[in-house]
Amino acid sequence: AQKVTQAQTEISVVEKEDVTLDCVYETRDTTYYLFWYKQPPSGELVFLIRRNSFDEQNEISGRYSWNFQKSTSSFNFTITASQVVDSAVYFCALSEADFNKFYFGSGTKLNVKP
Amino acid sequence: EAQVTQNPRYLITVTGKKLTVTCSQNMNHEYMSWYRQDPGLGLRQIYYSMNVEVTDKGDVPEGYKVSRKEKRNFPLILESPSPNQTSLYFCASSPPFSGKGYNEQFFGPGTRLTVL
């Protein structure tokens, strides 16, 4: 069964627009961990955030913010005032309570045009 | 510099010719893992290791082997590669559970493998 769904395959925006990347997850565990990673065109994977299931507080880091809603099993990522450097593939991931296995979504490719 | 290294970065081989992709980390991490990335599928976990001599299967282990004889190294072995193993492979490591939730994984630069 698919654990993490990123329904948006590709999104294109113009610089300075706000954009939200959706992530829906599935798990039976009450303790789990959610992550976002960025993969720029150069190919490396860059960690952005980890959120624990017992902490539903939303988080803001500069232009980035994350909205975690257990009621809808979603962990969405918003970039405010997007920039060309935000162009990348973004992956949402889930790790369940045993911390051993990780499940990644299929990724959302974000194109930010000048 | 703290890092995860993989070698080779690029490899073209033929069906059935055994190969090994090495992965090494210098952060003294206990947890290491291998993933493959395919278009439209994201990253899928192949194998992981909680510590030396402790390995287990991820979601897509068929056709792969791993070993963890030393803490720093976690090689991925394809004993008889097939074209469906053509993919981009990533190794990752992370520190142990800290009590505040699992720490981030540090990823290597990736190995692009083509099996003809």
Side-chain angles (χ1 to χ4, degrees), chain B residues 54-68:
Chain B
V54 181
T55 63
D56 208 345
K57 297 176 181 178
D59 262 1
V60 288
E62 296 78 19
Y64 304 94
K65 286 176 60 175
V66 293
S67 69
R68 188 90 182 272

Side-chain angles (χ1 to χ4, degrees), chain A residues 20-39:
Chain A
T20 295
L21 309 183
D22 297 334
C23 173
V24 174
Y25 62 90
E26 174 189 332
T27 180
R28 292 180 182 159
D29 286 3
T30 54
T31 299
Y32 52 90
Y33 304 87
L34 297 163
F35 305 80
W36 276 95
Y37 283 86
K38 174 182 180 180
Q39 186 176 43

Side-chain angles (χ1 to χ4, degrees), chain A residues 33 39 50 52 100 102, chain B residues 31 37 45 50 100-102:
Chain A
Y33 304 87
Q39 186 176 43
R50 179 196 72 237
N52 309 329
N100 295 339
F102 283 79
Chain B
Y31 181 93
Q37 182 179 358
Q45 195 171 31
M50 296 298 288
K100 275 197 165 185
Y102 210 72

